[in-house]
Amino acid sequence: MKRRALLGAGAAALGAAGIGWSLLTPKRPGKLLRSRAPLPEPFAARLVVPPVLTGEEIIQREADLHILPGLTTRAWTYNGSFPGPTVVTRSGRAASLTHRNQLPESVVVHLHGGHTPADSDGYPIDEIMPEGASPGTTHHDMAAMAGDMSAGRRTYRYPMNQRAATLWYHDHRMGFTGPAVYRGLAGFHLVRDDEEDALPLPRGERELPLMITDRAFEADGSFRYPTGDSAYMNGVLGDVVLVNGLPWPVHEVDPARYRLRLLNASNARRYQLALDPPPPGGNAFVQIGSDGGLLQRPIGHDSLAIAPAERFDVVVDFGRYKPGAHVRLVDRDGGHVMRFDVTGAGRDDDSAVPQELSRTVEPLPPPARVRTFRFNQGPDGTWRINDLEYRPGRALARPRLGEVEHWRFVTDFHHPIHLHLNHFQVVSRNENGLGAYDHGWKDTVDLRASEAVAVAVRFTDYTGTFMLHCHNLEHEDMAMMADFVVEA
Ligand SMILES: [Cu+2]
């Protein structure tokens, strides 16, 4: 029996897609969904930095947001905002977060990039049911494969035995992650530590978390998501880019260095980010960190390819522009993302980017084992790993605790591949050295058509069941996930 939901619509529509879908699959992920509401004017909204969470509780609830001029958008939110509040924790200091679910449907919370024990990792059937619901009243019958369900609330425990990094939290419910994140269930989680604090990086108002998403809107301002439409199994692309939940916003900056923590939280869109105009001399972005925190040393880039769920921690020096300059952050494949307006004030800048950033990016020792995972599409249109659709409880790998393995990811299409539990290091791309964006500790790697990427990972601290999956959320919902079980 198929329990897979088609873009959140339940299994029934799948048969209609049928054989032939794969013949129509283009080589690029996603299909553009156009808004029915008038598109907003770019650079009219002011950038908002999400609030920092105080306390240890997040209430998931509906809220009416002002995203488009003159319209409201009913969103699913963490504490009423999109993005949700930014959680800030300290390396080595255990944290716990209680999520209460006042939404109409079940939710699951995953801390993306968290080094988290299995029972707090947000396994896709470990649902938090809505407050007031009893197990018999959930809208979809999961009795045959019930996870660790909780009623109304759940406390997630995060040991935070990990280095400083830009993490994010988002919904991870089986078959419904795409629509849930699209409706607003995503937020930043920043981990800080002493090594990073000792560096003279830009901070305070010159440190900006920037969550980039694309959305389409209905005429009434609500989010438009193509529930049940098999034409979008390849990924949903919106026609409005939001940064921190607002369309193509603008932000005034001093002529000084800024640290931008870039997160691509889009369901399927991959961006090639650049500054327009570029600064004189090139290297617009000085990358200081990746998904898993600081690089060993900085890397200069003219542009950044950022796949869904990847993070790039970069320093941009707006002091290289003349006061009054309007600097657009653009997607070379698409259009605007946001704009920075350089003011004449605030020239003081005691920040710097040291040539050595971190000493904790040593290469891992040779692997105990090499495994290969093929990411491809089945004849029925579902997305598969090693020819298998996701089924909870079926492990595709059983690595041993403490051992290093090399995992090779191969595909004929484009997939951002994400591993839970441990960060990894890319060791080769197409049997060659690393790509420009592969450096440092990562948890998501951009795998393009006909590529093979090998990563080295050591499984540490926690045994149990974790996930390997594609982070194109429509692919993920259409079964491109696998369990792996870490054994003692
Ligand atoms: Cu994919």
Side-chain angles (χ1 to χ4, degrees), residues 375 383 413-417 470-472 475-476 480:
F375 291 78
W383 296 96
F413 192 61
H414 178 274
H415 303 286
I417 308 302
C470 178
H471 219 287
N472 175 318
H475 296 186
E476 171 178 343
M480 194 169 254

Side-chain angles (χ1 to χ4, degrees), residues 276-483:
D276 180 27
N283 283 342
F285 304 106
V286 175
Q287 187 189 356
I288 57 168
S290 187
D291 307 332
L294 290 173
L295 302 178
Q296 205 164 8
R297 55 184 70 86
I299 301 174
H301 299 281
D302 290 327
S303 69
L304 293 171
I306 182 168
E310 283 191 302
R311 285 88 74 208
F312 284 88
D313 202 336
V314 301
V315 172
V316 171
D317 186 359
F318 293 105
R320 299 168 77 189
Y321 292 93
K322 291 199 167 58
H326 290 179
V327 183
R328 292 186 313 141
L329 179 66
V330 297
D331 173 17
R332 281 188 178 164
D333 298 335
H336 324 293
V337 175
M338 66 173 290
R339 196 179 76 194
F340 298 96
D341 290 355
V342 183
T343 67
R347 294 177 159 279
D348 59 300
D349 188 358
D350 55 4
S351 73
V353 180
Q355 279 313 298
E356 185 185 68
L357 295 165
S358 174
R359 298 182 175 202
T360 51
V361 199
E362 323 91 20
L364 291 168
R369 186 175 284 96
V370 179
R371 303 179 199 264
T372 297
F373 299 90
R374 292 182 316 280
F375 291 78
N376 46 31
Q377 198 167 27
D380 62 354
T382 55
W383 296 96
R384 299 170 167 189
I385 303 175
N386 288 350
D387 297 318
L388 295 169
E389 283 179 55
Y390 180 59
R391 196 175 77 203
R394 174 168 64 193
L396 293 200
R398 293 182 177 274
R400 295 282 297 273
L401 193 66
E403 287 192 346
V404 174
E405 299 200 356
H406 281 190
W407 284 15
R408 284 180 74 242
F409 305 134
V410 297
T411 187
D412 55 2
F413 192 61
H414 178 274
H415 303 286
I417 308 302
H418 172 48
L419 193 62
H420 290 208
L421 182 62
N422 283 99
H423 287 94
F424 54 73
Q425 294 176 359
V426 177
V427 293
S428 71
R429 186 177 280 274
N430 304 327
E431 317 300 332
N432 272 311
L434 308 195
Y437 311 112
D438 290 336
H439 293 269
W441 289 107
K442 291 187 59 63
D443 56 51
T444 308
V445 65
D446 187 23
L447 184 65
R448 281 157 297 186
S450 307
E451 284 199 325
V453 170
V455 306
V457 54
R458 191 202 304 263
F459 300 90
T460 60
D461 294 325
Y462 312 117
T463 56
T465 302
F466 298 92
M467 310 295 303
L468 162 70
H469 65 88
C470 178
H471 219 287
N472 175 318
L473 298 184
E474 283 71 40
H475 296 186
E476 171 178 343
D477 283 346
M478 289 303 294
M480 194 169 254
M481 297 203 292
D483 286 358

Side-chain angles (χ1 to χ4, degrees), residues 28-29 182 210-215 236-243 248 262-274 285 303-310 312 329-338 414 416 437 446 448:
R28 288 167 64 86
Y182 198 90
L210 299 175
M211 179 189 287
I212 303 171
T213 58
D214 59 336
R215 296 288 185 268
V236 176
L237 307 179
D239 58 1
V240 179
V241 174
L242 309 180
V243 180
W248 303 301
L262 299 165
L263 158 64
N264 180 1
S266 307
N267 282 31
R269 188 181 287 277
R270 180 176 181 273
Y271 300 81
Q272 187 80 36
L273 297 176
F285 304 106
S303 69
L304 293 171
I306 182 168
E310 283 191 302
F312 284 88
L329 179 66
V330 297
D331 173 17
R332 281 188 178 164
D333 298 335
H336 324 293
V337 175
M338 66 173 290
H414 178 274
Y437 311 112
D446 187 23
R448 281 157 297 186

